[in-house]
Amino acid sequence: MPCNPEPPINLGLFADSELQQPPRIEVLGPQSRVLRGFARPWVERLLPSLDSVLAAAPFRHMLTPGGFSMSVALSSCGKLGWTTDRSGYRYSAIDPQSQQPWPAMPEVFRELAEAAAQAAGFNGFDPDSCLINCYRPGAKMSLHQDKNERDYSAPIVSLSLGLPAIFLFGGLQRRDPSQRVPLLHGDVVVWGGVDRLRYHGVLPLKDGNHAELGGQRINLTFRHAG
Ligand code: MD3
Ligand code: FE
């Protein structure tokens, strides 16, 4: 009786890398989930839209209210974009660099964000803001809370692309211990409800080369800000 397992038949719907690593859901907190590999089937359609957004609103290093240049370079699309300068953190409908409205949110961005929110148990997510963070080796984001949104009832959806990073997921107080969560190309994380105001950050990015994005990590963060 032959007992060799048949190799999986790839009908061409998924790349071999997706057959080996099916999407998995990891529990980070009561209302936060890592959707491993969730965006892999979307990436090919997302990247050209990302390029168009960045052509209209290029990455730039913004100043914190304290006068320091952020190591992460930022851009935005959608009705509202997050900005910072000497006068504070805020959402604005106008890109301060171009003095024009931020580029519209591409439909494929909105669809991915809504689908990911739904997979994590948040139905009807309607983001009006997509912050685009660009990390080069050494860039980091210190522990902080996201508090500039008008109400905290909507979840936040984040998509990681390119080089891997270690995400820090803390508690409701800065001194609470934090979990270290590696985030890889195609991973999506959804935070909401009781986890919405938890402290979080990103450790300095390690040097490396990603096959599709090169020596950088790009993070898209979808919010309902207004
Ligand atoms: C956890 N960005 O832009 S993902 C940020 O990877 C930010 O670029 C990180 O923190 C990055 O503000 C982390 C986004 C994220 C956003 C909101 C959260 C993580 C969160 C709210 C609560 C807990
Ligand atoms: Fe944040």
Side-chain angles (χ1 to χ4, degrees):
M1 174 72 118
C3 62
N4 293 338
E6 297 283 341
I9 297 167
N10 188 348
L11 293 170
L13 293 171
F14 302 98
D16 285 337
S17 60
E18 289 164 281
L19 285 179
Q20 289 153 10
Q21 294 241 315
R24 302 177 300 284
I25 300 187
E26 292 175 16
V27 174
L28 271 190
Q31 292 186 280
S32 22
R33 300 288 183 270
V34 184
L35 312 176
R36 289 288 176 203
F38 186 90
R40 283 188 163 273
W42 301 71
V43 169
E44 216 181 315
R45 279 185 296 144
L46 281 162
L47 290 181
S49 296
L50 180 59
D51 282 342
S52 319
V53 165
L54 293 172
F59 284 127
R60 77 295 300 265
H61 292 273
M62 294 182 181
L63 284 185
T64 67
F68 296 98
S69 176
M70 289 183 69
S71 62
V72 178
L74 309 182
S75 182
S76 278
C77 62
K79 207 162 61 110
L80 294 170
W82 187 85
T83 68
T84 174
D85 59 21
R86 289 306 304 242
S87 52
Y89 304 125
R90 65 192 167 278
Y91 282 94
S92 167
I94 300 294
D95 173 352
Q97 189 160 293
S98 68
Q99 298 287 331
Q100 299 293 312
W102 294 101
M105 192 181 309
E107 203 51 47
V108 60
F109 283 26
R110 186 187 309 282
E111 286 169 16
L112 167 74
E114 190 191 359
Q118 174 150 328
F122 298 93
N123 290 334
F125 181 47
D126 184 21
D128 59 10
S129 174
C130 173
L131 173 63
I132 308 166
N133 294 324
C134 181
Y135 296 75
R136 296 277 180 182
K140 66 178 169 64
M141 199 172 284
S142 307
L143 218 54
H144 67 279
Q145 293 173 297
D146 287 20
K147 293 200 296 191
N148 297 123
E149 297 73 29
R150 202 171 53 79
D151 84 82
Y152 303 140
S153 58
I156 293 180
V157 171
S158 114
L159 163 63
S160 293
L161 295 171
L163 288 178
I166 306 283
F167 177 72
L168 296 175
F169 191 49
L172 292 174
Q173 317 235 28
R174 186 181 288 279
R175 63 173 178 274
D176 293 339
S178 44
Q179 315 173 48
R180 291 174 172 223
V181 186
L183 293 180
L184 312 180
H185 182 71
D187 289 348
V188 175
V189 194
V190 182
W191 292 270
V194 298
D195 292 324
R196 176 63 181 72
L197 287 175
R198 287 173 70 160
Y199 276 89
H200 58 278
V202 178
L203 291 182
L205 195 76
K206 283 211 207 158
D207 213 339
N209 182 51
H210 184 270
E212 286 154 87
L213 281 107
Q216 61 181 341
R217 169 178 188 255
I218 295 183
N219 180 266
L220 274 58
T221 305
F222 299 91
R223 298 182 170 84
H224 191 90

